[in-house]
Amino acid sequence: MESPKLRPLSGDPLNAVFETKDTDRFWKAFDTMETSKENPFTDYVKDGSPGVKGFTKFRIINADSLYSKVKREGKTI
């Protein structure tokens, strides 16, 4: 698996970005889990922010593992 290209962190806190679009996209995917014929997290992972892409390699792994984890533990969310 090729490492995602991440933009460097800013050394200036005034240039920091707090990305929230991933949260909205996660819940949109979550809400379609029961009705979707395909894995709703595929686009979430593929089109995620640099934060999601950086987190994917070591925690999320891929859309299928995310789907399995959420399916297994989603009742507690």
Side-chain angles (χ1 to χ4, degrees):
M1 173 188 277
E2 184 175 313
S3 178
K5 303 288 186 238
L6 301 177
R7 77 184 115 164
L9 296 175
S10 172
D12 182 353
L14 295 177
N15 292 328
V17 175
F18 187 75
E19 189 65 66
T20 61
K21 69 181 179 184
D22 291 320
T23 305
D24 295 334
R25 292 176 55 252
F26 174 87
W27 288 111
K28 182 179 176 186
F30 180 89
D31 289 342
T32 63
M33 283 180 64
E34 299 301 322
T35 58
S36 180
K37 294 186 187 286
E38 297 181 10
N39 183 342
F41 293 104
T42 299
D43 288 337
Y44 170 77
V45 170
K46 181 181 73 157
D47 300 330
S49 72
V52 167
K53 297 216 183 285
F55 198 64
T56 298
K57 184 175 180 180
F58 299 106
R59 294 294 303 267
I60 295 173
I61 312 298
N62 59 39
D64 291 335
S65 66
L66 177 59
Y67 178 83
S68 295
K69 179 78 168 172
V70 172
K71 187 80 167 167
R72 211 171 36 250
E73 298 185 25
K75 293 174 183 67
T76 62
I77 293 178

